[in-house]
Amino acid sequence: MAQAGEDRRTRLEAILRESPVIPVVTIADAAHAVPLARALLEGGIAVVEVTLRTPAATEAIRRIRAEVPSIVPGAGTVLSPARLEQVEKLDVAFAVSPGATARLLEAARASPVPLLPGVATASEAMTVLESGFTLAKLFPAEPAGGVALLKALAGPLPELRFCPMGGIDAGNAAAYLALSNVLCVGGSWLAPSDAIAAGDWRRITALARAASELRGGAG
Ligand code: 3PG
């Protein structure tokens, strides 16, 4: 079990180091999935988190897996063990949750898919560490305290490293990426819903390119 946990952590850390920014995308129409993934890749971003917030999400992930094999697909909004089981079947490379319930953490310890659990407080950070997780999503990053909160957590909890998400954009991403306990950031600003709906893939590629050029996270 310890070995399996180590393997999941190694895979997740490699994914979080793949790009300074993980695009968080919500896809309403599965037909948008492949051009969207290609637009992100074209801009230099090789990871994507597809949120499970729309009926089209699972089909979108399937299409990305089948047709854009060079992008690493993850599933977001994994709220329960049942959803984790669902994404295991989709063969995603990682799963992300906005928070961390005891049931979800327990299921993740037995899952082949590495989970990036969400935390927003020191107590939640201690809970995920107790369950053996050393990589977490700070969510919602800006409302929860942002850069100042992450600096404060680095003192007592140096072994926990973060991918902050929630309220991050091109204007504040660099301040997060400069922190010693941040590996990458995530956000929806690279794939705005109006650009997806309009099929404005060039705009998404330009946003991705600017994001991919941000300085990488902690060494
Ligand atoms: C989310 O769960 O929606 C993500 O963390 C992205 O947040 P954002 O839309 O504020 O970038």
Side-chain angles (χ1 to χ4, degrees):
M1 190 65 182
Q3 205 176 353
E6 194 55 43
D7 174 56
R8 278 192 303 264
R9 183 170 29 246
T10 304
R11 279 186 280 134
L12 183 58
E13 180 162 345
I15 292 164
L16 300 183
R17 290 184 183 283
E18 173 73 37
S19 159
V21 180
I22 295 182
V24 178
V25 305
T26 297
I27 300 177
D29 179 346
H32 292 146
V34 167
L36 172 57
R38 288 195 177 129
L40 292 167
L41 262 182
E42 177 76 23
I45 299 273
V47 183
V48 64
E49 175 194 326
V50 179
T51 65
L52 299 182
R53 295 180 201 170
T54 59
T58 52
E59 177 59 18
I61 291 171
R62 268 189 213 103
R63 292 190 190 188
I64 291 170
R65 291 254 312 110
E67 295 181 49
V68 197
S70 29
I71 200 159
V72 177
T77 324
V78 174
L79 303 178
S80 63
R83 281 213 179 162
L84 188 59
E85 210 174 298
Q86 183 189 2
V87 304
E88 282 167 14
K89 293 186 186 126
L90 292 169
D91 199 20
V92 293
F94 64 105
V96 183
S97 58
T101 68
R103 286 179 61 231
L104 182 60
L105 291 176
E106 193 188 330
R109 282 163 55 88
S111 172
V113 178
L115 175 74
L116 185 70
V119 304
T121 66
S123 291
E124 291 167 13
M126 288 168 64
T127 300
V128 299
L129 279 168
E130 266 180 13
S131 294
F133 293 79
T134 55
L135 301 167
K137 158 176 169 166
L138 180 73
F139 181 80
E142 281 287 295
V147 165
L149 174 59
L150 286 161
K151 280 186 183 164
L153 292 174
L157 305 171
E159 64 274 55
L160 192 59
R161 284 167 309 154
F162 295 91
C163 178
M165 301 188 189
I168 299 181
D169 58 26
N172 60 13
Y176 283 92
L177 290 168
L179 300 176
S180 61
N181 55 350
V182 168
L183 292 180
C184 64
V185 300
S188 60
W189 87 90
L190 285 70
S193 52
D194 61 328
I196 298 176
D200 190 351
W201 312 123
R202 291 221 310 224
R203 181 172 158 215
I204 290 173
T205 292
L207 288 164
R209 181 157 299 123
S212 72
E213 285 165 3
L214 287 164
R215 198 195 66 78

